Amino acid sequence: MTGPERPDPPGEENPGAGPAGPGPAGEPPPARRRRRDPLAATLIGVLTLLLGFALAVQVRNADEAQVLAGAREEDLVRILDELDSREERLRSQLAEQRAALRELNGSGSQTGAALEEARQRAERLGILNGTLAAQGPGMTLTVRDPAGTVQVSDLIDVVQELRGAGAETMQVDDVRIGHSTAVTGAPGELVVDGTPLRSPYEFVVLGDPQGMETAMNIPGGVVQRIERRGGSVEITGSPELVVDALRPLDRPQYAAPDTE
Amino acid sequence: MIPILGLAAGVLLGLVFDPTVPLWLQPYLPIAVVAALDAVFGGFRARLDGIFDAKVFVISFVSNVVVAALIVFLGDQLGVGAQLSTAVVVVLGIRIFGNAAAIRRHVFRA
């Protein structure tokens, strides 16, 4: 494997030795030659430096890698088996957690969306029914009835015309008009939902002011009829009105939701 | 003196820089180190015997490393890399033991 070695005797190989015994003719004694050769000294230094470097690196490297590399085959198989089963366990755990996360996410967004939907629906119904105060653009419509001649049907017509013209919710004096509002009584002593009205009757209506005003003033409409009876109607549009009279929510006595 | 200094400096450098051995070199580095160690022991013994030759040392050092790496490489190609590595280490180990024994005889006269 090395230069000047002879196969015999065992234990006598000496790489780095000059030719043992009789050196080639003309070669100076090796011991003296070493001193005189700076190139050889440099080479030796470099080689031994490399050796030391590689040695240290390999030792470090072996520290890290040799733990498994030095293990026996059966041990390696056992370790591999353990790692495999552990991986499988962790994978199944991961799948479970993923499924749970998906479920939670799905149900969370579902209930959230349903809640939001229900809330909006309740708001719309509340405004429609008069259980919620409302605000927005609209108009005030004041019916003066100095002679006490405005009839029940006139007020009902006012309400119906307003609804037909796009009124979304309204109140008269401090009574909210809902879907079951009743106007009763005699001219001059009108009663709305059991609350007596005093002239002037002041409607606060939320809706499109222009459309409602046009509908009110239509020839032969409710305003003209009231004026014919001796009353007067004053309409004032407004960009910001508040309808804050509330109606109790009727609990249906006979009708129940059809759940099918 | 130079070899000892070189060894010490090399070990220090290796410890300081602590480089990662590239993957292709990993099978050969330990064999190369053992081969080089064999050359160094041989050189030390030759020095004690008074027959040290720098040229022979350098050539034997390099050829030791190259041949050892070649054998392992060949073994890898043949599919018996691990066995040939073991063989190389055993042979070099025996040689190191022999050289160490010769050095011991010189140093301790026993």
Side-chain angles (χ1 to χ4, degrees), chain A residues 2 5 12-13 15 17-18 30, chain B residues 42-43 45 51-52 56 64 95 99:
Chain A
T2 47
E5 69 189 27
E12 286 294 313
E13 301 103 334
Chain B
R45 179 198 175 177
I51 53 171
F52 182 85
V56 173
N64 246 15
R95 285 161 51 89
N99 284 329

Side-chain angles (χ1 to χ4, degrees), chain A residues 5-28:
Chain A
E5 69 189 27
R6 294 152 300 166
D8 58 318
E12 286 294 313
E13 301 103 334
N14 46 354
E27 205 173 324

